[in-house]
């Protein structure tokens, strides 16, 4: 699920009118979120269980779904003769508002088999969103992810979450890991109006055969919040503390003071911030 759709031109910048972090900054334009799972159990080449299920939304309302399949709980499962079992699950909790996008997703799979069987399972959760950032904004983003797969069994796990400008291609958050890995990102900065994409998925697969057993899990948690551009400390209020903190960073030449995002700290950044500060929110 690594789709990118280009959108039409940016919405013009407009002046801030509130110091509240809940002010409108983004307008969602397209999105899907889903969870799914599959389980297969076979005995000596004969399929005992083959089941799958999914949940999906195409809207922007909160999406809270948890789906789990267990081969041993399927009506056709033969618990007298079966030599295999498998479980798969996908879970997602996500919320989209005018100033914040947050989500937590997880996928698990496990399977086991005796010498003549096969236990196969998958778990998946996906998040896809394009949105328009309507104004110059300060942002704070965090992302954490893990992936883990038992060695010695066919399968794997992946965890991807990615936010980027569709105008410049610059990533705001990028995590892409698999199997036995983890990553954590914390970042603050400024973003200019325009179209953005948020893409994320987790997947887990186990295919246990000929007396093997294994597990796979993947997970990520992401939160991005938008604030008035003069809200340097991103606490939801613009005051003297924001001005002082920015000027301290600017005097030190810190990239945290790179208000125009060009990778260089100079007088333009100072002017950009002070104009935003003078305008309030």
């Amino acid at each position: 699920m690594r789709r990118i759709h280009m959108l039409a031109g940016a919405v013009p910048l407009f002046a801030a009118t509130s110091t509240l972090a809940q002010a409108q900054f983004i307008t969602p334009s397209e999105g899907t979120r889903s969870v799914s799972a599959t389980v297969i159990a076979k005995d000596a080449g004969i399929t005992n269980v083959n089941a799958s299920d999914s949940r999906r939304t195409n809207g922007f309302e909160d999406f809270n779904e948890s789906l789990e399949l267990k081969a041993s709980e399927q009506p056709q499962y033969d618990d007298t003769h079966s030599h295999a079992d498998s479980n798969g699950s996908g879970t997602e909790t996500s919320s989209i508002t005018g100033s914040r996008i947050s989500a937590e997703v997880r996928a698990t799979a496990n399977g086991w088999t005796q010498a003549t069987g096969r236990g196969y399972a998958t778990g998946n959760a996906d998040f896809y969103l394009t949105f328009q950032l309507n104004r110059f904004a300060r942002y704070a983003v965090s992302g954490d992810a893990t992936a883990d797969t038992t060695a010695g069994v066919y399968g794997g796990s992946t965890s991807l979450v990615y936010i980027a400008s569709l105008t410049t291609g610059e990533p705001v958050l990028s995590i892409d890991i698999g199997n036995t890995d983890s990553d954590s990102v914390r970042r603050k900065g400024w973003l200019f109006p325009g179209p953005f994409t948020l893409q994320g998925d987790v997947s887990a697969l186990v295919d246990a055969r000929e007396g093997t057993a294994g597990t796979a899990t993947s997970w990520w948690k992401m939160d991005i919040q938008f604030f008035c551009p003069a809200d340097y400390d991103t606490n939801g209020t613009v005051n003297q503390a924001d001005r002082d903190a920015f000027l301290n960073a600017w005097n030190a030449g810190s990239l945290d003071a790179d208000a125009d995002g060009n990778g260089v700290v100079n007088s333009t950044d100072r002017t950009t911030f002070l104009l935003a500060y003078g305008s309030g929110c």
Side-chain angles (χ1 to χ4, degrees):
M1 189 211 75
R2 302 181 186 219
R3 303 170 293 180
I4 292 181
H5 297 271
M6 298 302 294
L7 300 179
V11 173
L13 174 67
F14 58 85
T17 59
S18 170
T19 60
L20 297 178
Q22 290 78 17
Q24 180 76 25
F25 287 92
I26 67 170
T27 300
S29 55
E30 182 182 7
T32 61
R33 284 161 289 166
S34 66
V35 294
S36 61
T38 300
V39 290
I40 297 174
K42 289 187 175 183
D43 291 309
I46 300 174
T47 300
N48 191 7
V49 172
N50 189 339
S52 62
D53 200 357
S54 64
R55 306 280 190 273
R56 181 185 178 93
T57 181
N58 293 314
F60 307 122
E61 70 282 351
D62 291 355
F63 183 68
N64 303 303
E65 292 287 347
S66 184
L67 175 64
E68 182 177 18
L69 291 181
K70 296 182 178 181
S72 60
E73 294 181 353
Q74 296 299 307
Q76 66 270 41
Y77 185 77
D78 184 347
D79 58 2
T80 303
H81 302 98
S82 183
H83 296 155
D85 194 8
S86 59
N87 304 327
S89 71
T91 302
E92 178 167 339
T93 301
S94 57
S95 175
I96 303 169
T97 71
S99 62
R100 190 171 194 171
I101 305 168
S102 58
E104 182 171 2
V105 298
R106 183 180 301 274
T108 66
N110 63 72
W112 68 265
T113 177
Q114 296 181 12
T116 58
R118 178 190 182 194
Y120 174 94
T122 68
N124 296 278
D126 298 315
F127 191 118
Y128 167 67
L129 177 70
T130 57
F131 62 91
Q132 191 79 17
L133 182 62
N134 302 321
R135 52 180 295 193
F136 181 40
R138 179 80 167 154
Y139 76 89
V141 67
S142 64
D144 300 278
T146 61
D148 187 45
T149 306
T150 300
V153 64
Y154 178 77
S157 57
T158 62
S159 184
L160 163 73
V161 58
Y162 178 75
I163 306 172
S165 165
L166 288 174
T167 302
T168 66
E170 282 294 315
V172 179
L173 173 67
S174 180
I175 296 176
D176 190 358
I177 59 175
N179 293 328
T180 56
D181 203 357
S182 64
D183 200 359
S184 182
V185 175
R186 301 288 185 274
R187 183 180 296 169
K188 293 182 180 181
W190 289 271
L191 293 174
F192 286 89
F196 286 78
T197 183
L198 191 167
Q199 303 181 40
D201 62 68
V202 290
S203 63
L205 182 151
V206 166
D207 191 357
R209 305 186 187 195
E210 300 178 353
T212 62
T215 63
T217 63
S218 55
W219 165 86
W220 60 252
K221 184 176 183 179
M222 178 279 307
D223 182 85
I224 184 167
Q225 190 166 0
F226 300 92
F227 302 86
C228 298
D231 188 3
Y232 185 79
D233 58 12
T234 64
N235 69 350
T237 303
V238 176
N239 55 28
Q240 184 71 32
D242 295 295
R243 183 179 183 276
D244 292 345
F246 171 82
L247 291 176
N248 286 337
W250 186 83
N251 286 326
S254 171
L255 283 176
D256 289 337
D258 183 17
D260 61 8
N262 69 351
V264 178
V265 176
N266 55 28
S267 60
T268 302
D269 299 297
R270 185 176 184 274
T271 300
T272 299
F273 177 81
L274 292 179
L275 284 173
Y277 180 81
S279 298
C281 193

